[in-house]
Amino acid sequence: MARSLFLFDMTFWLYLAALVLYVTYMLAKRPAMSLAPAGHPVEYSDNDSGWAVQIGQVATIVTVFGWIVNSLALFTRAYERMQLSGTFAPWSNQFEAMSYVSWAIILGYVLLEFRYRIKAIGAFVVGIGFIAMGAASLLPYRYQTAEPLVPALNSYWIYIHVSVTLTSYAAFAMAGGLGVMYLLKERAERQGKVSRLYASFPDLETIDELGYKAIMVGFPLLAFGVILGAMWANYAWGGYWSWDPKETWSLIVWLIYGAYIHARMTHGWEGRRAAIYAVFGFLMVIFCFWGVNFLLSGLHAYA
Amino acid sequence: MNGQEHIAVEPDASQQSPGLGWNEIKTELVAFFASIKLAMFLFIVLAMTATIGTVIQQGERPETYIKEYGEEAYRWFLRLGFTDVYHTWWFTSLLGMLCVNSLTCFYKRFPGVWRSMKQDKVNVSLPFIKNLKQTTEFSIAASKETVAEGFVGLLAEKGYRVLAKNDPQEVTLYATKGIMGRVGAHMAHLSATVIVLGGLIGSYYGFQEFGVCLEGQTYHIPKGNFDLHVDKFWIDYHENGSVKSYNSTLTVLEQGQKMATKTITVNDPLVYKGIWFYQSSYGDSWDRIDVARVNVKEKDTDKLVGTVDLEWQKEAQLEKLGLKLLMTDFVADFGFNSTDKKVYSKTAEHANPAIRLAITEGPMQTSPWIFYHYPELFDIKGSKYAFELVGYQPKKFTGLQITKDPGVIIVWIGSTMIVVGITLSSFIYHRRLWAKVIPNENGVTVHLGGTTHKSQIDFNKEFRKLTERITKLST
C-alpha cells in the first residue's frame, strides 16, 4: 500500500516542479518574438535563446519523468488491488480516479507538445494536471488506500466504463486550460499589451483550434463512457437509465458540449465566446466529477 | 453543415406563386425545426432542467419535501412536477422536440450529403470556383494534360476521390474526401429518435418488479407463466469483513419441470424467456427467522431452568419440565391491527421483534407473543414458567429485481449509432475541391477552389500545401 502512495506523492512533486518550470519558461527572456501564422505553429525553440531553451527542455523532461512515475504509481496500485481482491482497475475510488485523470491530462499534453512544439501551453495544462493530483492528495488517508470493491463495482465493466469517462474529463480539462490561455492572451491583445509572457503563447487562432480539437476528442469519449455506464447499469441493476445524479450530470455535461459543438458551426462562436464556454464546460465537468460525489447522493456515491 | 446548401442554385423556388402557400409554410417550418439554434436551445434547456432532479430528491413521500422545503414550496413542486422532473410533460416534450429537431435536420440536409456521395459535380463554371471559400489562381508552364494528370495523382495520393472532365479548351477536376464525417453526424442525429423509441417500447411492453424471496421457496412469475425456485442464498465476505458478493442459486420451473438453473450475483443476472433476474439486494426477513433462543425461568424462584433453540415451526420437547414449545410466527416490528385483530410487522426494521410461542404444559395450551425487548411484558397465566426471547437468527431474504425490457436492444442500436456517428463526425471532416486547368500562351492557368464544413484551419493548411505542390508540377 505504502509503495503506491509514495509514488503518487512523487508524481505530485514532479508535476509541481514541471509547472514551475513551464511558468519560468514563459517568463524567461527570448529575443525574437515572432508569432506563428495561423495553423503553422513555428518551432518555438528556434526563436528561444538564453535560458528559455534550457528551461523549456528541462520542463519537458520533468513532465515526462513525472508522467512515468504517475504510470508506475498506477501500475503499483493495480498490483496492490490484484493482491487484495482480484480486480486491478487503478481507478476504483476518488483518489485513484483523480490520479488517473492527471495521468491522462499529462499524456495528452506531452503528445500535444511533441506534435505542435508549443511549450507555453504546459503552464496551463500541466497546471490542471498538477491541481488534479494535488486535490487527490488532499483527500483523507482513508480515501487514498485501496479498499476492496463493493459487489456492484466488482465487474469487468469498471475497466472500460471508468477509464473512458475519465479520459473524456481529461480532454475537457485540456480544453478548459486552453480556454483560460486564450482569454488571457485575447485580453492582453485587446489592451494592446505586448509582453514577453504573451509572446511565448501561440497565436489565438491556434489556441482556439486546439481547444476545439480537445473537445472533439472528449465529446465522443464521454458519449461512449455514458453508454458503457448504461450497459453496466443494465447488467447490475436491471435498468440502463435511472436518473441517478451522477448519470444525470454526465448527461448534462454531454449536452453542454453538444451545444458547443453545434455552436461552432454557426458564425461568431469561435474565439472568445468559445473559450469562455470551454472554461464553463470544464467547471461543469469538475462539478460532475467532484461536486456530485460530495454534495449529492446517489448510486455513484462510492466513487 | 451550413454553407453547403448555397452552392447549388435552386431556380424552382422562385417559380412558386408568391404568398403564403403550403410550400412557404413548409419551408419555414423545416428551416425552424432543422435549425442549429433550436438544437443549441434544446441542449441548454435540457441541461438546465435536468439539474433540478439532481438537487431535489425525486419520488419521495410528501412529508419529506414538506419537512425540508415547507408546504408552500411543496405545492409549487407538485405544480411544476419537480418531484418527478424526468417524467413531466414539459421535460418529455423537450426530449420529443430534440427528436423532431434532429429528424428534420436529417430530412433537410441528408439528401445533400447523399447527392454529393452519388453525383459527379464536375460540371461547374469558372465563376462557381471563384466564389468558393478558399480560392487561388496560378500559372504553370506545362501542357494541360500534364498538369491535370499530375494534379489527379496528387489528390488521389492524398486520399481524395477525383473526377476529371477533359474538354478541348479546359480540364475540370472535382475531388472529395471525408464524406463519412457528415454521414456520421446524421447517424448521430437519427440515434436520438432510435434511443427514445427504445425507451418508449420498454415502458409500454416491459415491466420492472422487485421480489423479496426466501431460500427454499417457489414463486410464480405470472408475466412469464413459469415458477422460480430459490435453491440457495449466501453472502461471501472479504478478509476484512466487508461484503464481497451475495449470490442466489435460482431454478426455473415450468409445470414442475426444471428448465434452467443459475447462480446469480451482482453483475451476473439470469435470463429466461426475455425476463431478467438480477441480484439486487438482501436483508433480514421481517416475518421469518431460522432459530430463536428461548430461556425458560421458574416464575417463583426466577431461576433459569432451561434454554432451548427453537427452529422455525418445529416443535421442541422439554421432557424434564413437561413442556412442548413451538415457534409459529415472527414479526420484526410488532404491530397490532385492532379492527381485524391481526399482528403484523409495522416496518421491515427489526425495531420490536417478537415471536409467537405455542406452549403445551400438561393439559394447558396457550400461544402468547414473546417480546425481545420487553421480556416481562406479559405474565402467562396458569403456567409455572416465564419465557424469554434472548436471541434469534434472522432469515436472510434475497432481493431480486425482475425485469423485462424488449426496448433495450433498440436502445443499444441507437447507442452504437450515436458513438460511431459522433466519432466519425469528430475526426473526419468533409472537403471538396474544384479546379479548372485552362491553357494560356505559356502553359496553363489553374483555378482552384474548395470548401469544408468544419476544421477550417486544417483545411487552409492542406489547401496551401496542395497549392505549393501543384505549382511545382511543371519542374
Side-chain angles (χ1 to χ4, degrees):
Chain A
M1 196 67 59
R3 201 171 295 152
S4 70
L5 281 179
F6 170 72
L7 288 167
F8 283 122
D9 266 357
M10 281 235 331
T11 313
F12 170 83
W13 292 112
L14 283 165
Y15 287 167
L16 176 62
L19 174 60
V20 171
L21 283 162
Y22 276 117
V23 172
T24 321
Y25 164 81
M26 285 200 319
L27 299 168
K29 206 171 183 177
R30 57 178 69 77
M33 286 194 196
S34 72
L35 289 176
H40 274 264
V42 155
E43 307 250 335
Y44 268 83
S45 49
D46 292 350
N47 300 328
D48 296 341
S49 79
W51 286 103
V53 183
Q54 278 87 344
I55 291 169
Q57 281 167 352
V58 175
T60 306
I61 291 166
V62 171
T63 308
V64 172
F65 185 58
W67 181 79
I68 292 169
V69 174
N70 198 343
S71 315
L72 281 176
L74 290 168
F75 270 116
T76 315
R77 177 49 67 94
Y79 176 75
E80 286 164 2
R81 280 206 167 273
M82 200 70 206
Q83 299 277 322
L84 192 72
S85 61
T87 53
F88 60 81
W91 40 75
S92 301
N93 60 29
Q94 184 84 37
F95 171 77
E96 292 168 15
M98 303 287 297
S99 311
Y100 174 78
V101 167
S102 52
W103 178 86
I105 292 173
I106 302 295
L107 173 64
Y109 170 71
V110 170
L111 291 176
L112 188 102
E113 196 192 302
F114 285 153
R115 176 147 156 63
Y116 292 92
R117 306 263 155 211
I118 308 171
K119 281 183 193 281
I121 294 171
F124 294 87
V125 177
V126 173
I128 292 174
F130 161 74
I131 291 167
M133 202 67 218
S137 53
L138 284 176
L139 284 168
Y141 180 76
R142 69 199 152 87
Y143 287 129
Q144 298 192 11
T145 53
E147 294 299 322
L149 293 177
V150 299
L153 287 180
N154 199 348
S155 155
Y156 54 86
W157 288 101
I158 198 171
Y159 298 118
I160 176 151
H161 161 61
V162 181
S163 56
V164 168
T165 314
L166 293 179
T167 310
S168 79
Y169 292 173
F172 295 137
M174 213 140 157
L178 287 160
V180 172
M181 196 170 176
Y182 183 96
L183 292 173
L184 285 176
K185 172 131 181 167
E186 194 260 357
R187 205 183 60 156
E189 278 190 6
R190 206 154 20 100
Q191 294 173 344
K193 267 192 233 163
V194 182
S195 72
R196 202 184 287 156
L197 179 69
Y198 295 117
S200 70
F201 283 23
D203 66 308
L204 286 176
E205 248 180 289
T206 308
I207 306 175
D208 182 53
E209 186 73 17
L210 289 176
Y212 182 34
K213 280 198 169 143
I215 289 175
M216 296 288 257
V217 171
F219 188 62
L221 276 176
L222 182 61
F224 190 38
V226 169
I227 280 159
L228 287 168
M231 289 182 155
W232 188 3
N234 191 52
Y235 240 81
W237 298 316
Y240 52 84
W241 198 262
S242 53
W243 295 104
D244 142 82
K246 192 72 163 194
E247 59 190 30
T248 308
W249 266 97
S250 61
L251 178 69
I252 291 167
V253 167
W254 188 82
L255 288 168
I256 287 170
Y257 284 107
Y260 172 92
I261 294 230
H262 283 86
R264 287 289 309 212
M265 294 182 181
T266 58
H267 294 288
W269 272 95
E270 311 89 3
R272 195 175 130 80
R273 262 159 117 183
I276 292 170
Y277 199 97
V279 174
F280 162 74
F282 179 50
L283 293 177
M284 292 297 109
V285 170
I286 294 175
F287 185 78
C288 177
F289 187 27
W290 264 65
V292 173
N293 294 356
F294 294 109
L295 300 176
L296 309 171
S297 60
L299 294 168
H300 278 80
Y302 39 66
Chain B
M1 209 160 288
N2 52 348
Q4 292 291 332
E5 285 69 29
H6 310 299
I7 291 167
V9 186
E10 289 169 32
D12 52 345
S14 56
Q15 299 292 311
Q16 297 293 326
S17 60
L20 211 63
W22 164 240
N23 279 314
E24 284 76 17
I25 296 174
K26 192 184 146 193
T27 315
E28 282 293 309
L29 279 177
V30 167
F32 171 75
F33 281 110
S35 72
I36 294 176
K37 282 208 175 101
L38 179 66
M40 283 160 63
F41 170 80
L42 288 171
F43 273 127
I44 293 296
V45 173
L46 275 168
M48 288 195 308
T49 48
T51 56
I52 296 167
T54 66
V55 179
I56 299 165
Q57 291 261 332
Q58 299 289 288
E60 289 288 331
R61 285 183 301 187
E63 306 93 76
T64 320
Y65 296 111
I66 292 167
K67 203 176 134 199
E68 195 157 340
Y69 303 98
E71 219 163 300
E72 184 60 25
Y74 178 60
R75 225 168 285 137
W76 275 104
F77 283 6
L78 282 186
R79 234 167 271 161
L80 299 167
F82 281 8
T83 60
D84 192 11
V85 176
Y86 307 114
H87 301 102
T88 53
W89 64 268
W90 51 268
F91 192 82
T92 38
S93 307
L94 284 171
L95 281 177
M97 277 290 278
L98 193 66
C99 292
V100 171
N101 184 203
S102 52
L103 285 179
T104 320
C105 175
F106 180 85
Y107 167 79
K108 187 181 166 193
R109 299 195 176 92
F110 189 72
V113 175
W114 185 252
R115 273 200 301 276
S116 67
M117 278 171 89
K118 293 283 154 198
Q119 266 178 14
D120 309 339
K121 291 207 167 181
V122 73
N123 287 310
V124 291
S125 64
L126 191 57
F128 170 83
I129 293 179
K130 287 185 170 173
N131 271 331
L132 291 165
K133 263 189 193 162
Q134 286 277 321
T135 50
T136 183
E137 202 183 309
F138 47 88
S139 295
I140 304 171
S143 76
K144 118 180 152 282
E145 277 74 20
T146 324
V147 173
E149 269 168 35
F151 204 169
V152 170
L154 186 61
L155 287 166
E157 179 196 313
K158 289 265 174 197
Y160 278 86
R161 192 168 67 88
V162 192
L163 285 167
K165 193 163 127 258
N166 196 352
D167 292 322
Q169 63 286 67
E170 61 180 25
V171 175
T172 315
L173 296 177
Y174 168 58
T176 175
K177 183 179 171 181
I179 187 76
M180 283 319 282
R182 302 185 75 197
V183 173
H186 286 293
M187 196 194 241
H189 284 163
L190 286 183
S191 74
T193 308
V194 175
I195 291 172
V196 167
L197 215 65
L200 283 177
I201 288 173
S203 61
Y204 281 112
Y205 300 105
F207 65 85
Q208 233 181 17
E209 274 165 21
F210 187 76
V212 172
C213 303
L214 293 175
E215 204 175 85
Q217 303 275 29
T218 304
Y219 300 89
H220 185 60
I221 311 296
K223 282 178 174 141
N225 198 23
F226 58 80
D227 294 323
L228 186 75
H229 184 257
V230 182
D231 300 339
K232 207 177 160 200
F233 170 74
W234 75 98
I235 302 169
D236 291 327
Y237 295 92
H238 285 293
E239 271 172 42
N240 68 357
S242 61
V243 173
K244 187 180 182 187
S245 70
Y246 38 106
N247 326 276
S248 307
T249 306
L250 304 177
T251 300
V252 175
L253 301 163
E254 267 191 275
Q255 278 112 36
Q257 287 273 309
K258 281 191 186 181
M259 305 305 287
T261 298
K262 183 176 178 181
T263 298
I264 65 163
T265 179
V266 184
N267 285 314
D268 189 14
L270 160 74
V271 189
Y272 187 76
K273 286 197 171 167
I275 300 181
W276 294 54
F277 296 89
Y278 298 88
Q279 182 71 71
S280 171
S281 63
Y282 65 89
D284 290 340
S285 180
W286 56 84
D287 57 359
R288 266 272 325 246
I289 55 176
D290 278 335
V291 187
R293 176 164 290 179
V294 174
N295 277 354
V296 186
K297 280 180 176 171
E298 230 166 28
K299 266 191 202 166
D300 304 336
T301 57
D302 201 28
K303 214 179 80 186
L304 186 69
V305 289
T307 295
V308 60
D309 287 340
L310 292 173
E311 280 179 53
W312 180 252
Q313 294 183 346
K314 259 190 203 151
E315 199 176 64
Q317 294 226 359
L318 282 85
E319 308 240 333
K320 265 202 289 183
L321 306 174
L323 276 173
K324 273 190 210 160
L325 298 176
L326 172 69
M327 164 169 62
T328 58
D329 286 295
F330 170 81
V331 286
D333 190 5
F334 190 89
F336 185 69
N337 187 333
S338 50
T339 35
D340 57 5
K341 307 242 182 298
K342 269 197 177 137
V343 169
Y344 66 102
S345 188
K346 282 193 285 194
T347 64
E349 304 302 317
H350 286 232
N352 185 11
I355 58 166
R356 191 170 199 193
L357 210 55
I359 305 166
T360 313
E361 190 179 338
M364 192 213 59
Q365 279 197 338
T366 180
S367 49
W369 283 92
I370 312 283
F371 292 83
Y372 179 69
H373 291 306
Y374 312 101
E376 282 156 19
L377 198 58
F378 300 112
D379 174 50
I380 300 158
K381 285 184 187 112
S383 170
K384 282 198 285 184
Y385 304 106
F387 300 89
E388 282 175 9
L389 173 63
V390 291
Y392 60 88
Q393 196 179 49
K395 178 113 185 148
K396 293 269 185 232
F397 70 78
T398 168
L400 300 179
Q401 173 87 34
I402 304 161
T403 302
K404 182 176 180 170
D405 191 347
V408 77
I409 182 74
I410 295 168
V411 173
W412 297 153
I413 291 170
S415 304
T416 313
M417 282 168 69
I418 201 166
V419 172
V420 172
I422 299 174
T423 309
L424 286 176
S425 80
S426 291
F427 297 109
I428 301 174
Y429 61 99
H430 188 208
R431 287 154 269 191
R432 289 193 288 179
L433 295 168
W434 282 269
K436 271 191 194 292
V437 185
I438 304 170
N440 61 14
E441 318 73 85
N442 337 329
V444 290
T445 310
V446 178
H447 299 269
L448 178 65
T451 68
T452 178
H453 73 303
K454 65 180 171 212
S455 286
Q456 201 65 52
I457 289 181
D458 283 344
F459 185 65
N460 293 353
K461 207 159 127 186
E462 188 177 7
F463 195 82
R464 207 157 32 217
K465 277 190 183 165
L466 263 175
T467 315
E468 277 168 24
R469 287 190 58 182
I470 297 161
T471 45
K472 285 180 199 146
L473 277 176
S474 59
T475 54

